[in-house]
Amino acid sequence: MTNTQVTLVQIDNYGPWTVTPEPRREADLQTLQSRLYADVSQFVGARDGYVFFTRFDNMIAVTNGLDLDDHRLLQESVGNRYPVSLSLGVAADPDPVEALSEATELVQDAGSAQDRNRREILGGEVAEGTGGEDVGIAHFDVNDATGEYTDELNAFDSFIEIEQAYAELMRYMRTAHRSLSFFVGGDNIIAVCPELGEDAYHDAIAHVEEDVGVALKVGVGSGSSAHAAGMDAKHALEICRAEETRIEFSR
Amino acid sequence: MTNTQVTLVQIDNYGPWTVTPEPRREADLQTLQSRLYADVSQFVGARDGYVFFTRFDNMIAVTNGLDLDDHRLLQESVGNRYPVSLSLGVAADPDPVEALSEATELVQDAGSAQDRNRREILGGEVAEGTGGEDVGIAHFDVNDATGEYTDELNAFDSFIEIEQAYAELMRYMRTAHRSLSFFVGGDNIIAVCPELGEDAYHDAIAHVEEDVGVALKVGVGSGSSAHAAGMDAKHALEICRAEETRIEFSR
Amino acid sequence: MTNTQVTLVQIDNYGPWTVTPEPRREADLQTLQSRLYADVSQFVGARDGYVFFTRFDNMIAVTNGLDLDDHRLLQESVGNRYPVSLSLGVAADPDPVEALSEATELVQDAGSAQDRNRREILGGEVAEGTGGEDVGIAHFDVNDATGEYTDELNAFDSFIEIEQAYAELMRYMRTAHRSLSFFVGGDNIIAVCPELGEDAYHDAIAHVEEDVGVALKVGVGSGSSAHAAGMDAKHALEICRAEETRIEFSR
Amino acid sequence: MTNTQVTLVQIDNYGPWTVTPEPRREADLQTLQSRLYADVSQFVGARDGYVFFTRFDNMIAVTNGLDLDDHRLLQESVGNRYPVSLSLGVAADPDPVEALSEATELVQDAGSAQDRNRREILGGEVAEGTGGEDVGIAHFDVNDATGEYTDELNAFDSFIEIEQAYAELMRYMRTAHRSLSFFVGGDNIIAVCPELGEDAYHDAIAHVEEDVGVALKVGVGSGSSAHAAGMDAKHALEICRAEETRIEFSR
């Protein structure tokens, strides 16, 4: 059984900051957001977690293996180097959606995302590592995205296809299979999942193909950390590529 | 009449690189992609252009005011500092979709995105600046996103709402109004548009609200560069906020 | 005759900030400083200028070709993305030392580097580009540094040799030849010079060799920008390497 | 008794890379070097170590608390994100100079810094943490540097004073007191020291004042990591500032 530790990373009072005293240059906001994400990703990634950029002002991370001191250090380090600060909520649960809900509440309960007096909240409890398969990761990509889309359509029309597939998959995996799915660039989507059988993945892929006409394949892995599970999933996806299959589980 | 100059920025042979010789750590790929995007954004933004991260391996930029030497310098500088290289296609047209199509073809004609021998393509022609309103930018956001979603739902369910709105808006603005719309973080979507009247924006907002139940508002600006038009649009959006209107044009 | 435009880049009130309310983590300060330098270097470098990290809280740049609007944009962009702000003084003179003195005074006259009310000063006048040889750059390195030092001594003792050579060269070039010399990493020192003949470089190299026993060689270039002059100097230094000479002028 | 673990971080074959096939833009090299340093500093700093930029192509780190797996991960992550790779040598010894010498030899024995076939060496042994005072840090700065230099002299002449003080201190602390001293920006020098009494610091400060006329003060700390010792030293230096003393030991 999985026991996924999820961290909500929320920039404090970011919306108002972006337009105070005047709207700031968009290129600077984009640079700030993407570099902040990169730094959080390096910090968490070096401890075998995953961070997803999501909305950038609200990032979602899988942080099994990071304790509250690690979270505190991340918060301090960002506070030392950026003009904005972070609030962090942490929770663990066999159900990733439930973990995220608890992590979100910890931050929401301390005040609004646009409350200028709510700063650098740090709340929650970390998972006791079981050393077992606490995290499940499914790595999807689009079948022959380069041949079907990138090399054929204009770059926006390719992106529309991928985006429609993502929007549908994220919604379906959330409601039907209690999984959190994130677009991670290219034609890749990574989902944080509870234990699911092959039929669940078959169902999700079929649903997206019927609904928006985009063919996905998926490699599934599990492990004691997001990185361990994710590498398993990547290798399983390589097997899909090599053997032209649509669903592979690691081992 | 607009004359939007669009640049397609494509990482050469990126997909194969990410899994050679073995799949690379996801956190490193995420860091690499987002920092590369940040650098391109700073370079183009300092010349008053906009870059959208799109798929990260394919970024779309509005580059009025940048000439081919500027593009060449960006390419050289990235080549000096990253383990990957960029191909760039540039084209200008009153219709942003047409401009992007031409820019994409310039890159596609030189080889596949996964052709290991296609490197650092630079092609296209830049717009003669007219000094007029060459670029149209519409800046959308979600009405009371913080109160309705961020402070109420868990962070993923908030994101689902925004993502569904984006997926629908991007598709509708592309097909009905020949505009390129990009999610830029938070609850913000920036669209690059030809000259459109208020009815077009009204139509798009109504369509999204009917289709996915998310209420958007929009500020619209125009100018000689993406930055100039975008700042107009941001100021117009501030007026929407202050006066609780849904569509504002600058001036 | 050269006409070097020099910009002093000073972080506002940095010293006090680093210890308020408590001393901040050294690793964060080092990261902040070096990334800020990198960003300033990219901004100025993309306009064919050079920036030297110097003390990091005070950086010195050669900015021929950048006008005051460029400086203002740099200041705004840094202010949007960092927890610290920059003051900038700009001046041009045939004598680089004189240009720097004027640039420094513009900042000093507005208040102390540790005055918490002095923020984002921007002062000075930019050079009228002559299109001629406004900038002179000399690129020094240590003769066979790898064979003599890096591969032989421990890494600190190698560094001592290079550092002693730099400390002596910087002082001597400043007083004897009105040049500003900067260590730029490895075994490289770049000097911003007025027009100097071969005898001046011969004198400086001989002085360092006598005083601290380190053998330097130098390539000298000139051009309308730091980049143009610096590339000339690099190519001249390559000739020194190929032909085992100690001083080469470009062309 | 201290037991300092030192890591030599050497960029593989960097010198030749910077001029192949042609000399690369200086601004790009500066950006690459300083960002690479920042990344190494964040990685090591998040594990309570210190990294000094030194020559940039050869960085010296105090890495008590980091094991070989941590070093391997740093190497892999840099290899995934930069066009250059790192070799690492690690050693621990009560004498920091001896530790560095051993760390350097591990890298040198595997080949020259300019050997194109020597890549990503990782060698050495890590210290068994004693939980005691394994690291000694002395944090020096220049007495009233802002009042005496920064606000009075031009920015280069201020820098000359600080640089002369650094060059003399680094050499003297190395030979007389077996310490490794590093300029860290502003008017700050951080030394990694074995156990030294107050007389040693008095001697060093007096030596620099006599030799180059610059007055230093110093805070001294010790701890189980560079960060712990360094924070002690920073607090001790704050006491020097408050009480106008020249040498303070923590506690």
Side-chain angles (χ1 to χ4, degrees), chain D residues 140-145 148-149 161-162 165 169 187 189 204-218 245-246:
Chain D
F140 296 83
D141 76 4
V142 174
N143 248 356
D144 194 21
E148 292 268 328
Y149 302 117
E161 297 294 325
I162 289 166
L169 183 71
D187 61 334
I189 299 163
I205 286 178
H207 175 83
V208 170
E209 193 153 358
E210 278 156 34
D211 202 74
V212 299
V214 176
L216 300 173
K217 60 182 178 295
V218 64
T245 51
R246 299 286 291 275

Side-chain angles (χ1 to χ4, degrees), chain C residues 8 10 18-19 22-31 33-35 37-39 41-42 45-51 53-58 60 97 100-101 104 108 111-114 139 145-146 149-160 162-164 166-168 170-171 174 179-187 190 227 231 234-235 238 241, chain D residues 8 10 18-19 22-31 33-35 37-39 41-42 45-51 53-58 60 97 100-101 104 108 111-114 139 145-146 149-160 162-164 166-168 170-171 174 179-187 190 227 231 234-235 238 241:
Chain C
L8 171 64
Q10 188 174 86
T18 63
V19 293
E22 287 288 308
R24 296 173 193 261
R25 289 180 75 91
E26 189 62 33
D28 289 338
L29 298 177
Q30 294 299 314
T31 303
Q33 293 170 9
S34 49
R35 286 186 177 166
Y37 165 65
D39 267 12
S41 183
Q42 272 303 295
R47 285 154 184 78
D48 288 344
Y50 271 14
V51 188
F53 54 81
T54 326
R55 291 170 51 186
F56 285 99
D57 61 349
N58 286 268
I60 296 173
V97 176
L100 177 65
S101 295
T104 305
Q108 288 169 339
S112 167
Q114 299 197 354
H139 195 132
T146 302
Y149 303 116
T150 313
D151 289 348
E152 292 301 317
L153 304 181
N154 78 47
F156 195 79
D157 290 343
S158 297
F159 183 46
I160 287 179
I162 289 166
E163 189 63 28
Q164 303 301 315
Y166 172 52
E168 198 48 42
M170 80 178 307
R171 188 168 62 173
R174 161 69 180 88
S179 298
L180 307 171
S181 307
F182 302 92
F183 177 62
V184 293
D187 61 334
I190 293 179
H227 169 66
M231 285 305 263
K234 283 170 183 261
H235 281 111
E238 290 296 289
R241 275 180 198 137
Chain D
L8 171 64
Q10 188 174 88
T18 64
V19 293
E22 286 289 307
R24 296 173 192 260
R25 289 179 76 90
E26 190 62 33
D28 289 337
L29 298 178
Q30 294 298 313
T31 302
Q33 292 169 10
S34 49
R35 287 185 177 167
Y37 165 64
D39 266 13
S41 184
Q42 273 303 294
R47 285 155 184 79
D48 288 344
Y50 270 14
V51 187
F53 54 81
T54 326
R55 291 169 50 183
F56 286 99
D57 60 349
N58 286 267
I60 295 173
V97 175
L100 177 65
S101 293
T104 306
Q108 287 170 340
S112 167
Q114 299 197 354
H139 195 133
T146 303
Y149 302 117
T150 314
D151 289 349
E152 292 302 317
L153 304 181
N154 78 48
F156 195 80
D157 291 344
S158 297
F159 183 46
I160 287 179
I162 289 166
E163 188 64 27
Q164 303 301 315
Y166 172 52
E168 198 49 40
M170 80 177 307
R171 186 168 62 172
R174 162 68 180 87
S179 299
L180 307 172
S181 306
F182 302 92
F183 177 63
V184 293
D187 61 334
I190 292 179
H227 168 67
M231 285 306 264
K234 284 170 183 262
H235 281 110
E238 289 297 289
R241 276 180 198 138

Side-chain angles (χ1 to χ4, degrees), chain B residues 50 135-137 139 190 221-223 225-235:
Chain B
Y50 271 14
V135 183
I137 294 283
H139 194 132
I190 292 179
S222 59
S225 67
H227 168 67
M231 284 306 264
D232 269 11
K234 283 170 183 262
H235 280 110

Side-chain angles (χ1 to χ4, degrees), chain C residues 43-249:
Chain C
F43 185 95
V44 171
R47 285 154 184 78
D48 288 344
Y50 271 14
V51 188
F52 302 100
F53 54 81
T54 326
R55 291 170 51 186
F56 285 99
D57 61 349
N58 286 268
M59 302 179 250
I60 296 173
V62 179
T63 55
N64 292 62
L66 281 81
D67 62 21
L68 284 181
D69 279 343
D70 293 324
H71 284 78
R72 198 171 287 117
L73 177 56
L74 171 63
Q75 207 172 41
E76 178 184 351
S77 182
V78 167
N80 279 338
R81 298 181 292 111
Y82 285 88
V84 294
S85 60
L86 300 181
S87 284
L88 305 175
V90 195
D93 197 277
D95 174 350
V97 176
E98 180 56 29
L100 177 65
S101 295
E102 288 175 32
T104 305
E105 275 171 32
L106 288 160
V107 173
Q108 288 169 339
D109 288 352
S112 167
Q114 299 197 354
D115 178 346
R116 56 156 56 191
N117 296 313
R118 196 213 70 186
R119 271 179 60 89
E120 299 197 332
I121 302 307
L122 174 60
E125 276 176 47
V126 298
E128 297 294 314
T130 63
E133 312 291 272
D134 289 339
V135 183
I137 294 283
H139 195 132
F140 296 84
D141 75 5
V142 174
N143 247 355
D144 193 20
T146 302
E148 292 268 328
Y149 303 116
T150 313
D151 289 348
E152 292 301 317
L153 304 181
N154 78 47
F156 195 79
D157 290 343
S158 297
F159 183 46
I160 287 179
E161 298 293 326
I162 289 166
E163 189 63 28
Q164 303 301 315
Y166 172 52
E168 198 48 42
L169 183 70
M170 80 178 307
R171 188 168 62 173
Y172 192 74
M173 288 293 287
R174 161 69 180 88
T175 51
H177 302 299
R178 302 199 68 77
S179 298
L180 307 171
S181 307
F182 302 92
F183 177 62
V184 293
D187 61 334
N188 297 270
I189 299 163
I190 293 179
V192 184
C193 308
E195 236 176 275
L196 297 175
E198 187 169 338
D199 54 340
Y201 293 106
H202 184 81
D203 170 56
I205 286 178
H207 174 83
V208 170
E209 193 153 358
E210 278 155 35
D211 202 75
V212 299
V214 176
L216 300 172
K217 60 183 178 294
V218 63
V220 184
S222 59
S224 59
S225 68
H227 169 66
M231 285 305 263
D232 269 9
K234 283 170 183 261
H235 281 111
L237 189 62
E238 290 296 289
I239 294 172
C240 286
R241 275 180 198 137
E243 308 192 354
E244 302 195 1
T245 52
R246 299 288 290 276
I247 304 175
E248 294 288 341
F249 281 66

Side-chain angles (χ1 to χ4, degrees), chain A residues 8 10 18-19 22-35 37-39 41-42 44-51 53-60 97 100-101 104 108 111-114 118 139 145-146 149-160 162-164 166-168 170-171 174 179-187 190 212 227 231 234-235 238 241, chain B residues 8 10 18-19 22-35 37-39 41-42 44-51 53-60 97 100-101 104 108 111-114 118 139 145-146 149-160 162-164 166-168 170-171 174 179-187 190 212 227 231 234-235 238 241:
Chain A
L8 170 64
Q10 188 174 87
T18 64
V19 293
E22 287 287 308
R24 296 174 192 260
R25 289 179 75 89
E26 189 61 35
D28 289 338
L29 299 177
Q30 294 299 314
T31 303
L32 174 68
Q33 292 170 9
S34 49
R35 287 186 177 167
Y37 165 65
D39 267 12
S41 184
Q42 273 302 295
V44 171
R47 286 156 183 79
D48 289 344
Y50 270 14
V51 188
F53 54 81
T54 326
R55 291 169 51 184
F56 286 99
D57 60 349
N58 286 267
M59 302 180 250
I60 296 173
V97 175
L100 177 65
S101 293
T104 305
Q108 287 170 340
S112 166
Q114 299 197 355
R118 197 212 69 186
H139 195 131
T146 302
Y149 302 117
T150 315
D151 290 348
E152 291 303 316
L153 304 181
N154 79 47
F156 195 80
D157 290 343
S158 297
F159 182 47
I160 287 177
I162 289 167
E163 190 64 28
Q164 302 301 315
Y166 172 52
E168 198 48 41
M170 78 177 309
R171 187 168 62 173
R174 161 69 180 86
S179 299
L180 307 172
S181 308
F182 303 92
F183 177 62
V184 294
D187 61 335
I190 292 179
V212 299
H227 169 66
M231 284 306 263
K234 284 170 183 262
H235 281 110
E238 290 297 290
R241 276 181 198 136
Chain B
L8 170 65
Q10 188 174 87
T18 64
V19 292
E22 287 288 306
R24 296 174 192 260
R25 288 180 76 89
E26 189 62 34
D28 289 337
L29 299 178
Q30 294 298 314
T31 303
L32 174 69
Q33 291 169 10
S34 49
R35 287 186 176 166
Y37 166 64
D39 267 12
S41 183
Q42 273 302 295
V44 171
R47 285 156 184 78
D48 288 345
Y50 271 14
V51 187
F53 53 81
T54 326
R55 291 169 52 185
F56 287 99
D57 60 349
N58 286 268
M59 303 180 249
I60 295 173
V97 175
L100 177 64
S101 294
T104 305
Q108 287 170 339
S112 166
Q114 298 197 355
R118 196 213 69 187
H139 194 132
T146 303
Y149 303 117
T150 314
D151 289 348
E152 291 303 317
L153 304 181
N154 78 48
F156 195 80
D157 290 343
S158 297
F159 183 47
I160 287 178
I162 289 167
E163 189 63 28
Q164 303 301 315
Y166 172 51
E168 197 50 41
M170 80 178 307
R171 187 168 63 173
R174 161 69 180 86
S179 299
L180 307 172
S181 306
F182 302 92
F183 177 62
V184 293
D187 61 334
I190 292 179
V212 299
H227 168 67
M231 284 306 264
K234 283 170 183 262
H235 280 110
E238 290 297 289
R241 277 181 197 137

